[in-house]
Amino acid sequence: MRKPLIAGNWKMNGTKASVETLLAGVVAGAGAIERSEVAVCPPYPFLQMAASALAGSSVRLGAQNCATAASGAFTGEVAAPMLADFGCHYVIIGHSERRAMYGEDEAILAKKLAAAFAAGLTPILCVGETLEERERGDMEKVIAAQIDGIIALCGIGAFGSLELAYEPVWAIGTGKTATPAQAQEVHAFIRARLAGHDAAVAQKVRILYGGSMKGSNALELLSQPDIDGGLIGGAALNADEFLSIAKAGDAATQ
Ligand code: PGA
């Protein structure tokens, strides 16, 4: 059985004071989580603080993005080796907000994945369709193109060393969660698509669900056979709410 991964994507939120409180809450409650793996992905300026607060706990650290290059004249960018140096284990790649607002396409994402792997980080690669694409009946086509694009550029082997996150864009930050059946259908579709290339990789890869996941809907989602965790936005900004999702991950794998 794949161990659930519950990862908090804090996006561009927090102050030194609020982050200190949130980290303390997550660390204090993480000891009670038995089976789920827990990770937090704060904004860059808080990584050092987070690395110190998480030291000695089971909670892993991640970042939300990285540059395509390892160093050099790229004003404003942050390189994957820097993230590794600051104690990051994960880096989110290809979140729909970055695809939509910063024009990140498969060619850029493939370079970011390569940069993350080279730095020893584990990418959390995000895919997902917009409401318009779903209503047009193009959901499978869009997801397949996102997966196939990365397979073509990075090889199927890359999926053996990363985490996937299915995040329907219409469910992100909207309070509209995909139903467990809707999410399971897409997760199974993604796994089958990967299995067409490599059955072992498809069985191994964790596919997280993201999009308005919270304590009250987590158990049903995480109980689906192909949902292996959650990428949590809004609900990750409250330690108790976030940890209640990790507890649901425990309960779903009992
Ligand atoms: P949400 O965000 O939980 O606030 O919907 C999830 C995400 O964008 O990763």
Side-chain angles (χ1 to χ4, degrees), residues 65-251:
N65 179 33
C66 70
T68 55
S71 67
F74 299 94
T75 302
E77 289 290 280
V78 174
M82 297 174 184
L83 301 178
D85 198 19
F86 274 75
C88 287
H89 180 84
Y90 293 113
V91 59
I92 299 171
I93 303 279
H95 189 277
S96 60
E97 286 151 16
R98 297 214 57 88
R99 290 178 188 254
M101 292 188 256
Y102 304 99
E104 294 192 0
D105 59 11
E106 267 65 39
I108 292 173
L109 299 182
K111 286 189 189 148
K112 292 193 172 192
L113 287 172
F117 287 135
L121 299 171
T122 300
I124 301 175
L125 173 66
C126 303
V127 298
E129 83 288 0
T130 63
L131 184 60
E132 196 199 338
E133 288 161 346
R134 177 171 275 260
E135 286 177 344
R136 270 207 315 262
D138 284 345
M139 182 264 287
E140 290 195 349
K141 203 169 102 188
V142 169
I143 306 283
Q146 291 173 343
I147 297 282
D148 294 354
I150 298 299
I151 294 175
L153 292 164
C154 300
I156 185 68
F159 288 80
S161 321
L162 55 68
E163 318 286 348
L164 268 174
Y166 166 58
E167 300 203 304
V169 178
W170 48 273
I172 294 178
T174 59
K176 284 187 208 151
T177 320
T179 64
Q182 276 175 327
Q184 166 60 25
E185 185 193 355
V186 184
H187 283 233
F189 172 77
I190 294 170
R191 204 177 301 283
R193 193 99 194 156
L194 296 173
H197 294 265
D198 188 320
V201 165
Q203 270 315 302
K204 177 181 177 228
V205 68
R206 287 192 286 200
I207 310 177
L208 319 184
Y209 168 79
S212 299
M213 196 191 254
K214 46 185 186 281
S216 58
N217 59 25
L219 180 58
E220 247 199 308
L221 286 159
L222 295 169
S223 299
Q224 301 298 313
D226 289 296
I227 301 185
D228 310 313
L231 185 55
I232 321 297
L237 297 174
N238 176 291
D240 291 342
E241 183 72 23
F242 179 57
L243 291 167
S244 73
I245 300 172
K247 288 204 185 88
D250 281 0

